[in-house]
Amino acid sequence: MSSENESHRLATRILWGLVAGIVLGIITVGTGRFFPGVLSAAQNASEHVLNPFGQVFLRLLFFVVIPLVFASLALGIVQLGNIAKLGPLAGRTAGFFFMNMAIGVFLGLIMMNILNPGGSLDADTQEKLKSEFVGQAQNVEEVRKNQAKLNFNTLVEMFMPRNLMQSVVNFQILPLILFAILLGAAGTQMAEARRQRFEEFLSIVTELMTKIVRFALLLAPYAVPALIFSAIVRVGLDFLLSLMFFVLACVLIMVIHLFGTMSVWLKLFTKRSPIQFFRSIRAVLITAFSTSSSNATLPTSLQVSREVIGVSNSTSGFVLPLGATMNMSGTALYEGCVVLFIAQVYGIDLSIGSQVTLLLLTVFSAIAVAGIPGGSLPLIAGLLISFNIPAEGLALILGVDRLLDMARTTVNVGADVVTATIVDEKLKPAT
Ligand code: ASP
C-alpha cells in the first residue's frame, strides 16, 4: 500500500535525521573544546533558528491537545458504553484490555523509579535544561511546591475547578479529561439515533485532529535533528547519555511486558507455549515494528490470528479491531515513563499519590490514542501539563520518539493478538 510505503520512508528519514543530529552535535561539542567559537556559533544558531523551528513541530502538536483530548476521550467512553451493552464477551475483553494497560504502566513506573534515568544528570546540566527548555512555562520551583501539596482538597480543585472554560484557557487538562469522561458517559444514556450522531461528531473531530498530527509529523525529519542538535550543543553530552539510558529503560520494560506479562497470561489461560506463540506471530510483530501503526498492522494481525493461531473469525473480527484502537498497553506504559522521565530531568518529584493518578490517566489517555505513528504525542503533552510539568519538555524526547514508537506499537499489537487468543479459548461465554 502506498501510504504504508510513505510511512516507511518517513520513519527512515526521521531515524536518519536523529543520527545526523546526534553525530553533528557530538562533532560540534568536540570541536568546541579546541575552538570555543564554533560551539558558541552553534549555540547561537540553535537558540535563534533551530530551536524555534523545532518548536513549530511541537506547537502543532500542542494546537490539537484540547480538542483531541476532549473528542477522543469522550468517543472512547461512548464506545466503551456500547461495548458493555454487547454482553459478557465484550465486557471481559474490555476488562482484559484495562488490566493489561494498568499492568504495563505499573511496570513502567516501578522501573523508572528504580532506574531513574533522568536523575543521573548533574545539577549544572539540570539547571541548563530548565532554563533552556522550560522557556515561558511556569517556573520549576513553583511546580515542585504544587506537586508536594496533593491532598483531597487540591484533587477536587485540580479536577473540578469552578470554571471549566477558564481552566481550558489556562491549558489545565485534568478538568477537561473529567468533563470528557462525563460527557461520554452521558452520551451512552442517549437514545440510539442521537447517540450515533454524537459519536459521529466526536469521531469527525478526532479524525481532523489526527490529520493535523500527521501534518506535524511531516516536519519531523527536520525538526528531530534540529531539536536533538540544539539540546546537545546547549546542554552537553551528559544529556545524551541520560536519553540513551531512558531509551534502554523503556525498551527493557516493553520487552518485559510483551514477553513476560503476556507469557504469564498465555500459560495461565491457554495451553500454548509462549515461545512457540511469539514465533508464530512474528509477522505481526515485525509489521507493527516497521509501520509504528496499530491500524496499519490490523490486516496482518487478523490474518495471522485466524490462519496461524486458529482464533475464530468472530472473536478475531471483534477483539482485534477494538484492540487496535483501545488496547494500547505499550503506549500507556510509554506515556507513564515519559512523564516520569521529564519530571526527573527537571528535578520535579512526583509523589506516590500523583503517580497513582498518573497511572489512571495514562490508561484513559491511551484508549484515546489513535493507532497511527506518533498518535500519543499530543496526549503526552496533555499529561505533562496535567502534572504541571512544562510540556516543552517533550522536545527532549522527540528525537528518540520514533524509535520507541516502533517498540511500543509492537507491544500494543502483540497484546491484542494475545488477548484475542485468550478470549477465544477461555473467556468466550459457553453457548
Ligand atoms: N503508534 C502507536 C500505535 O499505532 C500509537 C502511539 O503510541 O503513538 O499503536
Side-chain angles (χ1 to χ4, degrees), residues 187-226:
T188 60
Q189 314 280 305
M190 283 198 294
E192 185 56 19
R194 290 173 76 76
R195 189 198 54 71
Q196 272 180 12
R197 273 168 58 199
F198 179 53
E199 201 176 315
E200 193 167 328
F201 160 73
L202 294 173
S203 80
I204 289 175
V205 178
T206 306
E207 194 181 324
L208 286 172
M209 295 309 123
T210 307
K211 288 210 187 302
I212 298 183
V213 176
R214 284 189 204 264
F215 292 158
L217 285 174
L218 292 178
L219 281 184
Y222 316 101
V224 160

Side-chain angles (χ1 to χ4, degrees), residues 288 291-297 323-324 327-328 330-332 334-335 366 369-378 380 401 404-406 408-410 412-413 416:
T291 58
S292 296
S293 166
S294 301
N295 290 350
T297 314
N327 185 28
M328 301 265 178
T331 293
Y334 175 70
E335 288 180 343
V369 165
I372 58 160
S376 50
L377 288 174
I380 295 176
D401 180 75
L404 292 171
D405 199 358
M406 299 164 95
R408 65 184 183 257
T409 308
T410 310
N412 289 343
V413 178
D416 291 343

Side-chain angles (χ1 to χ4, degrees), residues 309-364:
I309 308 286
V311 178
S312 70
N313 280 357
S314 61
T315 307
S316 55
F318 172 71
V319 176
L320 293 174
L322 191 67
T325 53
M326 244 188 77
N327 185 28
M328 301 265 178
S329 52
T331 293
L333 175 166
Y334 175 70
E335 288 180 343
C337 291
V338 173
V339 172
L340 222 55
F341 174 68
I342 296 178
Q344 287 169 353
V345 162
Y346 286 145
I348 297 168
D349 214 15
L350 285 188
S351 63
I352 299 285
S354 304
Q355 292 194 35
V356 173
T357 317
L358 176 61
L359 189 146
L360 286 174
L361 290 181
T362 43
V363 171
F364 276 112

Side-chain angles (χ1 to χ4, degrees), residues 33-49:
R33 299 236 160 99
F34 305 101
F35 307 102
V38 173
L39 186 59
S40 56
Q43 285 168 339
N44 245 326
S46 310
E47 190 181 337
H48 299 294
V49 184

